[in-house]
Amino acid sequence: MKPDLFQAPDYYQIDELLNDEHKMVRDAARSWVKREVSPIIEEFAQKAEFPTQIINGLAEIGAFGPYIPEEYGGAGLDQISYGLIMQEIERGDSGVRSTSSVQSSLVMYPIWKYGSEEQRKKYLPKLASGEFMGCFGLTEPDHGSNPSGMTTHFKDAGDHYILNGAKLWISNAPFADIAVVWAKNEEGRIHGLIVERGMEGFTTPETHNKWSLRASATGELIFDNVKIPKENVLPGKSGLGAPLGCLDSARYGIAWGAIGAAMDCYDTALRYAKERIQFDKPIGATQLQQKKLAEMITEITKAQLLAWRLGVLRNDGKATSAQISMAKRNNVDMAIKIAREARQILGGMGITGEYSIMRHMMNLESVITYEGTHDIHLLITGMDITGMSAFK
């Protein structure tokens, strides 16, 4: 087991843009990742198993709903703090960050924003503490980038609803206690429903044989005439804009998280380039390797500034969905390219579990696709700047 020697790059002194609370929250998350995630994550990725023993630790560092008000069990932090926590967790592993951001932005966020006061009090404190884990059901076997075409539906049965359908590629599904599920009513309007484990007809089969996000639990949600109490429908917002609002929060977290993965790959490659001797000198003394490293730190710095500015806009309530799409697309693309270049610097050693790079590279192949694919986010920006949709 190798020690975690990570040193975060800050080429433009971006720490000076952060307040004391931001740095305290980030440093706590960074220390926790070094202590609890780095020593075990390669083993769990190799086993294709989520390390459930870290759930309490994630709760303790405020990784579950950090921006949720304290009255509901959250930490009451701002959006930059949320982003920094995601950055540090994804520096450890994208799958662990997925677990955290799903819990925060796709489960706690809709209950907080769209739920009743009774729902907030019932679920949010338990989700914040990790006593309950949640998942988010939007993507279906035949409807990914076009969620409005969903076929999962529910009908009125008097004192309850009957839910039928299926969701696919659902992080946390195999062990989730609750699922926030998006389905159409009899009029075709999309609503959010809270489905609880143990409801008859609700199953969550696990997805196996993944080459990516191997330390994350992924599964399906199957609904076979599931009885849903009427008080489990989120009353505050309906229509496709409701789940898309949750995705804005999650995509924002990904924009920060991807920076963490890129930082880890860069830091590993930089250290290796200084230590690896070939032709009687460190490979870091050669022009080709310096070119790679210089381009890496440049792209990381640009992504840091993009995420920080987006966090300021989020704090001020000014960030648009299109701006979030730009940051998610740019920063994940940046991270996956850095992972590939870092792997080249390490040569054959780059494919082994002795280093984190190959695991990051495989994970990022999922991150660049989920919660809006690379191409879909490009079209969102295109529609925003031209005023014309190219989706149909």
Side-chain angles (χ1 to χ4, degrees):
M1 187 180 299
K2 294 184 68 172
D4 185 341
L5 303 175
F6 174 71
Q7 292 183 308
D10 186 12
Y11 202 72
Y12 261 42
Q13 299 170 32
I14 292 168
D15 262 22
E16 294 181 5
L17 299 173
L18 307 177
N19 63 33
D20 289 342
E21 182 176 71
H22 295 151
K23 286 182 273 192
M24 180 183 69
V25 167
R26 181 203 59 197
D27 292 347
R30 182 173 295 168
S31 296
W32 179 80
V33 167
K34 285 195 171 195
R35 186 175 66 252
E36 302 294 338
V37 177
S38 298
I40 66 168
I41 197 63
E42 300 296 346
E43 176 190 354
F44 277 85
Q46 291 284 358
K47 293 191 299 183
E49 181 182 331
F50 175 74
T52 54
Q53 69 265 33
I54 68 172
I55 287 175
N56 287 340
L58 285 166
E60 288 168 7
I61 63 168
F64 296 150
Y67 48 78
I68 299 293
E70 292 182 51
E71 64 181 299
Y72 301 120
L77 300 172
D78 73 355
Q79 290 292 304
I80 291 176
S81 291
Y82 168 50
L84 288 165
I85 294 171
M86 296 301 103
Q87 171 187 286
E88 295 305 313
I89 294 174
E90 189 145 2
R91 204 279 296 179
D93 187 75
S94 299
V96 178
R97 196 269 309 141
S98 294
T99 293
S100 177
S101 76
V102 165
Q103 181 90 335
S104 298
S105 290
L106 301 183
V107 181
M108 297 178 72
Y109 181 91
I111 294 173
W112 172 44
K113 285 292 188 180
Y114 313 144
S116 66
E117 188 63 17
E118 291 74 21
Q119 290 168 344
R120 295 185 191 112
K121 290 178 178 177
K122 179 179 180 180
Y123 296 108
L124 290 178
K126 291 183 177 181
L127 290 163
S129 70
E131 180 181 347
F132 276 8
M133 294 299 294
C135 63
F136 175 87
L138 181 62
T139 299
E140 296 187 353
D142 296 319
H143 298 93
S145 295
N146 177 28
S148 63
M150 71 174 65
T151 58
T152 299
H153 61 281
F154 63 99
K155 63 181 181 180
D156 197 322
D159 63 348
H160 60 273
Y161 294 113
I162 298 293
L163 176 66
N164 280 284
K167 303 292 182 177
L168 187 64
W169 300 122
I170 310 302
S171 294
N172 300 358
F175 58 73
D177 300 286
I178 67 169
V180 174
V181 177
W182 301 93
K184 289 180 177 177
N185 65 10
E186 291 165 277
E187 289 74 46
R189 183 76 175 173
I190 294 172
H191 290 264
L193 303 89
I194 300 172
V195 184
E196 301 177 22
R197 185 170 295 281
M199 289 181 172
E200 188 175 354
F202 174 43
T203 55
T204 59
E206 186 165 0
T207 303
H208 297 288
N209 298 323
K210 298 181 299 177
W211 287 113
S212 180
L213 297 181
R214 289 175 58 82
S216 175
T218 309
E220 302 173 55
L221 304 177
I222 308 296
F223 314 106
D224 182 10
N225 291 318
V226 182
K227 292 182 179 180
I228 307 294
K230 290 194 169 180
E231 61 265 26
N232 280 33
V233 174
L234 300 177
K237 190 175 178 67
S238 62
L240 188 59
L244 292 183
C246 307
L247 288 171
D248 273 353
S249 181
R251 290 163 174 170
Y252 166 76
I254 291 171
W256 281 90
I259 297 171
M263 284 178 166
D264 196 58
C265 292
Y266 165 78
D267 181 64
T268 301
L270 177 62
R271 187 175 298 107
Y272 188 88
K274 291 178 178 180
E275 296 171 355
R276 174 66 168 169
I277 306 297
Q278 290 290 283
F279 304 105
D280 301 321
K281 65 179 181 180
I283 62 172
T286 65
Q287 290 184 8
L288 285 176
Q289 305 310 322
Q290 288 191 9
K291 174 182 182 292
K292 289 184 176 73
L293 292 165
E295 289 175 342
M296 287 181 196
I297 191 59
T298 301
E299 295 306 313
I300 288 171
T301 300
K302 287 155 65 176
Q304 286 175 309
L305 291 167
L306 191 64
W308 174 80
R309 177 58 186 160
L310 185 61
V312 172
L313 291 172
R314 288 276 290 176
N315 280 340
D316 293 342
K318 296 178 180 178
T320 67
S321 296
Q323 288 169 332
I324 294 168
S325 282
M326 176 183 282
K328 191 271 185 182
R329 178 183 179 275
N330 179 84
N331 290 8
V332 180
D333 183 59
M334 171 276 300
I336 202 167
K337 288 176 179 175
I338 284 178
R340 290 168 181 160
E341 287 289 87
R343 209 290 301 160
Q344 295 244 28
I345 290 175
L346 268 67
M349 292 304 297
I351 72 165
T352 72
E354 187 175 350
Y355 297 93
S356 62
I357 292 172
M358 195 71 177
R359 176 171 50 81
H360 282 306
M361 189 192 307
M362 292 191 299
N363 285 342
L364 290 164
E365 290 290 351
S366 289
V367 181
I368 205 167
T369 295
Y370 68 26
E371 296 184 31
T373 69
H374 184 72
D375 292 341
I376 286 293
H377 285 298
L378 192 70
L379 294 181
I380 290 171
T381 303
M383 181 171 63
D384 192 51
I385 61 179
T386 65
M388 296 177 283
S389 174
F391 286 101
K392 295 182 181 179

